């Protein structure tokens, strides 16, 4: 497996990952290619959008790290990072999330972030477990959402 920055050429495969997640979980979310391009690959707040691929360059998952701006929908302080992770259900338990987070963590350090927020649906046990395993800790619960933060600092 390898990771690299997402490009517009990855958009169809990233859309397919979102569709596979929808089919697996039943949780609806935007997944069309126009959305993927604007929200992930070309997001102006992006610090890094990373894809993880197999040996055949098939996209197994992707992760976006953005810098929060004032009035953001996650209600986190401006300047924090906000992360989102999407892994094809067929690629679960292969280390995809860990590889993606390594890339995002590097980008967070380069950007000088102090904290990264993960905004997770309370009924998504896989995501809750993943972020906990990456070192995120719950700091806010509300309206069916769990917010976890990762503190960057010495040794992180």
């Amino acid at each position: 497996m390898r990771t690299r920055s997402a490009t517009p050429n990855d958009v169809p495969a990233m859309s397919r990952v979102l569709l596979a997640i929808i089919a697996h979980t039943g949780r609806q979310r935007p997944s069309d290619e126009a959305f993927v391009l604007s929200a992930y690959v070309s997001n102006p707040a992006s610090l890094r959008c990373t894809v993880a691929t197999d040996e055949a360059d098939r996209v197994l998952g992707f992760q976006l790290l953005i810098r929060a701006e004032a009035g953001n929908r996650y209600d986190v302080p401006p300047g924090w990072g906000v992360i989102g992770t999407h892994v094809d259900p067929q690629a679960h338990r292969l280390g995809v999330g860990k590889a993606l987070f390594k890339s995002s963590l590097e980008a967070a350090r380069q950007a000088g972030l102090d904290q990264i927020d993960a905004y997770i649906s309370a009924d998504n046990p896989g995501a809750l477990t993943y972020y906990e395993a990456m070192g995120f800790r719950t700091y806010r619960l509300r309206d069916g959402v769990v917010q976890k933060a990762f503190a960057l600092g010495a040794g992180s």
Side-chain angles (χ1 to χ4, degrees):
M1 174 185 348
R2 70 182 185 109
T3 60
R4 60 176 170 73
S5 292
T7 72
N9 290 336
D10 295 312
V11 167
M14 293 166 71
S15 177
R16 284 191 295 276
V17 167
L18 292 176
L19 289 169
I21 293 168
I22 291 167
H24 182 74
T25 65
R27 286 186 200 88
Q28 291 301 312
R29 66 181 68 207
S31 58
D32 62 274
E33 292 182 19
F35 172 79
V36 170
L37 180 63
S38 66
Y40 297 106
V41 178
S42 300
N43 187 323
S46 177
L47 296 172
R48 184 170 296 167
C49 184
T50 305
V51 293
T53 63
D54 64 12
E55 301 77 27
D57 207 36
R58 184 177 69 95
V59 174
L60 303 173
F62 61 97
Q63 188 169 73
L64 176 69
L65 177 67
I66 63 171
R67 184 183 305 272
E69 298 173 356
N72 64 79
R73 71 184 190 107
Y74 306 102
D75 192 29
V76 300
W80 275 36
V82 178
I83 198 167
T85 307
H86 310 283
V87 176
D88 188 316
Q90 294 184 350
H92 284 179
R93 314 283 311 156
L94 299 178
V96 174
K98 186 174 183 178
L100 289 168
F101 187 59
K102 181 178 178 185
S103 178
S104 293
L105 189 54
E106 176 186 294
R109 288 188 179 118
Q110 289 172 354
L113 299 181
D114 292 325
Q115 299 278 340
I116 303 171
D117 173 86
Y119 189 92
I120 309 156
S121 176
D123 67 350
N124 189 344
L128 294 168
T129 300
Y130 164 72
Y131 284 111
E132 194 74 20
M134 294 301 103
F136 285 72
R137 299 297 174 251
T138 300
Y139 74 94
R140 186 185 298 159
L141 302 168
R142 62 180 177 175
D143 298 328
V145 171
V146 177
Q147 284 183 267
K148 293 184 175 286
F150 182 92
L152 287 95
S156 67

